Amino acid sequence: MSGFFMEIFSTEIQMAPFQGITTSVFRKVYAKHFTGVDKMFTPFFTNVYKEGLNRRGEDELKDITLNGIPVVPQILSKDPEEILRFAEFVKSLGYDEVNWNLGCPFPRVAKKKRGSGMLPYPGEIRKILDEVFKKIPLKFSIKSRLGYETPSEILKVVEVINDYPVSELTVHARIGKQLYKGDVNTDLFPEILKLSRIRVGFNGDIFNREDFIRIKEKVDVDLIMLGRGLLVDPLLPGKIKKSDTGDETFRVGKFIEDLYFQYRKKFNDSLTALNVLKELWWYLSHSFSNPHKVFKTLKKTRSFDEYEDAVKLILDKFEWVGSEAGLFRISKIEK
Ligand SMILES: Cc1cc2nc3c(=O)[nH]c(=O)nc-3n(C[C@H](O)[C@H](O)[C@H](O)COP(=O)(O)O)c2cc1C
């Protein structure tokens, strides 16, 4: 095997966090059915200082590893005491890493200098890290964007982070103001990698194996986080590492079925289960031959019976085309 392909297989693949989608149920079912992911992140927790973690929060933190894959809890906060409180709590549950969210782009978050809204303020990041690293009882990693207003903000942030034993920094290659629009920007990565003393990971717009290889050729990282690409085609990490085999439609069908029953259990057979599943289906539909029709079929279901019939119809009547078809990138369908 050539050196380059060896590099693909040895690249760490992380599952990106998605509020409302990559829940504890999703992570557990995913880890049971698919291969290729080396680490998973929880969607962010927030306001844990004022309110403490409610029962639902604790429920979401039950599994420290899943099928051998470590799970990392994420916190969105600009308050070092809150970060430390969360870190102490997850440490007491058995976790050995906590991740700080410096990437959330939503204006109501960013305006308060939280998430990517903190990136233009490296001085404030330093103050927080100063406090956090006085007491942090476990590994501390960061997930960020290139900046909030401009991509070069990341360079000042890396200079600050270099002064602390941050375990890794994963960068979604967009600025906060872009939200999820426009292309990812890899231009600054050579500079970021040269400057950083911390291990750097890449995140953004990897929707199939070709994208993964293209990014590996462009950006010299050994850590790649997959987000929407994995939601569109849960087999993507296994396809990248060529570790997943078997009939794709059958395997995805089993995954969907398992997820459905686990969500029903989690929500005591309330229809919330369907709402959560529909969030995932919006992505998943792009791996079928007619995403628009698939999602429409699913979206209109209002009962468990209707949902089950819709899934059966989709699996029978529509072709699973997977990530290779690239339908998500060009999609215009609305949720
Ligand atoms: C609905 C939604 C929820 C998200 N929730 C989180 C979150 O809780 N924490 C986080 O760090 N990123 C979150 N993200 C960002 C993703 O983890 C990821 O960084 C982003 O989608 C870019 O990667 P991708 O192009 O591979 O999808 C979210 C994104 C979306 C669209």
Side-chain angles (χ1 to χ4, degrees):
M1 201 185 287
S2 78
F4 182 68
F5 284 100
M6 276 299 287
E7 253 187 57
I8 291 180
F9 295 113
S10 60
T11 301
E12 178 173 333
I13 295 186
Q14 303 185 335
M15 177 197 281
F18 284 82
Q19 204 64 240
I21 303 176
T22 61
T23 61
S24 58
V25 169
F26 179 91
R27 297 191 298 271
K28 195 169 187 162
V29 176
Y30 186 91
K32 192 170 133 195
H33 288 264
F34 301 112
T35 64
V37 166
D38 300 298
K39 202 191 258 188
M40 296 172 161
F41 291 80
T42 73
F44 65 75
F45 286 81
T46 194
N47 285 329
V48 290
Y49 184 70
K50 289 187 202 87
E51 294 157 24
L53 267 180
N54 54 24
R55 275 239 343 261
R56 191 153 158 238
E58 291 195 30
D59 242 29
E60 284 297 308
L61 286 169
K62 269 196 192 125
D63 296 296
I64 296 147
T65 59
L66 287 162
N67 230 348
I69 307 167
V71 177
V72 179
Q74 188 188 63
I75 175 103
L76 174 81
S77 173
K78 60 173 181 181
D79 176 352
E81 274 190 48
E82 183 182 30
I83 296 171
L84 282 167
R85 180 187 166 109
F86 183 67
E88 293 286 352
F89 177 68
V90 300
K91 162 98 178 159
S92 76
L93 298 176
Y95 289 94
D96 71 354
E97 179 179 336
V98 74
N99 182 265
W100 188 26
N101 179 321
L102 285 183
C104 185
F106 295 111
R108 63 172 194 281
V109 169
K111 256 197 247 149
K112 294 187 204 149
K113 291 191 192 167
R114 302 192 320 155
S116 64
M118 178 61 90
L119 294 171
Y121 306 97
E124 302 212 13
I125 294 177
R126 181 180 293 284
K127 276 191 206 150
I128 294 169
L129 292 178
D130 262 345
E131 291 308 310
V132 164
F133 276 101
K134 275 182 193 158
K135 287 197 208 142
I136 189 95
L138 31 60
K139 280 187 280 179
F140 189 75
S141 57
I142 297 177
K143 178 168 180 276
S144 81
R145 291 194 174 219
L146 291 168
Y148 183 69
E149 300 273 354
T150 68
S152 60
E153 284 162 25
I154 191 69
L155 300 174
K156 293 246 158 53
V157 172
V158 168
E159 278 176 11
V160 169
I161 294 176
N162 270 342
D163 290 339
Y164 302 87
V166 169
S167 60
E168 58 198 35
L169 166 68
T170 301
V171 184
H172 173 192
R174 282 193 173 84
I175 55 169
K177 280 202 148 174
Q178 274 181 278
L179 299 171
Y180 294 90
K181 295 187 202 105
D183 290 331
V184 287
N185 176 354
T186 54
D187 296 351
L188 278 175
F189 271 81
E191 212 174 326
I192 296 170
L193 288 162
K194 205 164 136 211
L195 192 64
S196 180
R197 283 206 285 262
I198 312 300
R199 184 182 186 213
V200 173
F202 180 91
N203 168 234
D205 284 16
I206 295 180
F207 298 117
N208 55 37
R209 192 167 195 267
E210 271 168 40
D211 292 340
F212 184 92
I213 291 173
R214 199 173 28 79
I215 289 298
K216 281 287 292 179
E217 281 169 342
K218 259 196 188 162
V219 184
D220 186 18
V221 289
D222 64 354
L223 191 175
I224 289 191
M225 180 181 270
L226 301 178
R228 292 163 300 168
L230 179 153
L231 303 180
V232 170
D233 181 353
L235 288 142
L236 180 59
K239 285 179 184 174
I240 289 170
K241 295 208 170 163
K242 295 199 184 288
S243 54
D244 254 323
T245 50
D247 180 334
E248 290 188 22
T249 318
F250 177 79
R251 297 197 42 206
V252 171
K254 286 279 166 213
F255 166 69
I256 292 166
E257 184 181 83
D258 201 358
L259 201 58
Y260 167 67
F261 286 114
Q262 295 304 325
Y263 270 131
R264 279 187 68 167
K265 203 162 138 195
K266 161 116 180 162
F267 295 113
N268 296 321
D269 272 343
S270 93
L271 291 177
T272 308
L274 292 193
N275 297 333
V276 178
L277 283 159
K278 285 177 190 176
E279 290 291 317
L280 174 66
W281 268 103
W282 185 74
Y283 292 96
L284 205 56
S285 58
H286 294 86
S287 271
F288 288 88
S289 48
N290 189 333
H292 184 74
K293 270 200 180 153
V294 166
F295 188 61
K296 220 171 115 192
T297 307
L298 215 285
K299 191 181 165 188
K300 62 181 187 215
T301 63
R302 296 278 174 268
S303 70
F304 292 126
D305 281 348
E306 281 178 21
Y307 176 88
E308 286 176 29
D309 289 346
V311 171
K312 192 170 174 322
L313 184 117
I314 289 164
L315 294 175
D316 284 350
K317 296 270 182 296
F318 294 88
E319 189 192 349
W320 172 265
V321 292
S323 52
E324 296 87 325
L327 299 182
F328 185 74
R329 205 189 302 275
I330 54 166
S331 171
K332 300 231 168 355
I333 65 171
E334 308 229 335
K335 270 189 221 181

